[in-house]
Amino acid sequence: IDDGSPDLETSIELILRLKEFGFKKIITTPHIYKELYPNTAEIILQGRAMALVMYDLDGTLLDTANEITRAVNLTLLDFDCRGVDEVDVRRWIGHGTGWLMQQAWVAASGNKNVSWDDVMDRFIFHYQATAGTSSIPFPKVIETLEKVKAIGL
């Protein structure tokens, strides 16, 4: 699970929450772990290590920080908190949505008596509503994908 999961228990919790949202299939992309997946450059270049190439759109191919900032700020507004700047959200991206919202909550002086599950439920609601509304490809992404396609990957 590429969402900043720190351990197996959290990964299982994330999977169960996705199931609650109606997801029926999850495709995971393990990172290189030399003891289990000895993916050297030679193995990868020979094509023996992969039968499929997948890309993470959110934050890898597409700049979605504007949408994430909107979802964060709509969530904060739901709880009568002030918004945060996109510059800050960009710094917080990459550690998982829970950590991102925790940073925003602290910065916005969020009420400590609010249920964290309620905060995250609202964030997910707003993120689903804003995803794909203003994202743009990072520089050189289109050209890179065209080259990857041209070599048959």
Side-chain angles (χ1 to χ4, degrees), residues 69-84:
T69 301
R70 242 181 319 142
V72 166
N73 284 331
L74 287 169
T75 302
L76 293 171
L77 184 63
D78 286 346
F79 296 94
D80 299 320
C81 296
R82 66 177 178 81
V84 295

Side-chain angles (χ1 to χ4, degrees), residues 4-104:
S5 178
D7 52 45
L8 179 60
E9 291 78 22
T10 305
S11 292
I12 292 169
E13 180 182 333
L14 290 168
I15 291 168
L16 292 174
R17 294 215 41 195
L18 287 171
K19 186 177 177 185
E20 289 174 14
F21 284 113
F23 286 85
K24 295 183 181 353
K25 184 176 183 180
I26 300 171
I27 300 172
T28 61
T29 56
H31 297 274
I32 294 174
Y33 182 50
K34 292 182 181 179
E35 289 77 16
L36 294 176
Y37 309 104
N39 293 328
T40 64
E42 293 79 23
I43 290 171
I44 292 169
L45 290 174
Q46 291 173 5
R48 293 184 301 174
M50 58 187 151
L52 172 70
V53 176
M54 295 176 56
Y55 295 97
D56 176 14
L57 290 174
D58 188 10
T60 302
L61 299 181
L62 299 178
D63 184 351
T64 57
N66 179 271
E67 297 167 352
I68 294 171
T69 301
R70 242 181 319 142
V72 166
N73 284 331
L74 287 169
T75 302
L76 293 171
L77 184 63
D78 286 346
F79 296 94
D80 299 320
C81 296
R82 66 177 178 81
V84 295
D85 294 327
E86 184 176 322
V87 171
D88 292 322
V89 172
R90 284 183 182 277
R91 282 195 348 261
W92 301 329
I93 290 173
H95 303 282
T97 56
W99 191 86
L100 168 86
M101 275 308 301
Q102 287 173 353
Q103 303 312 301

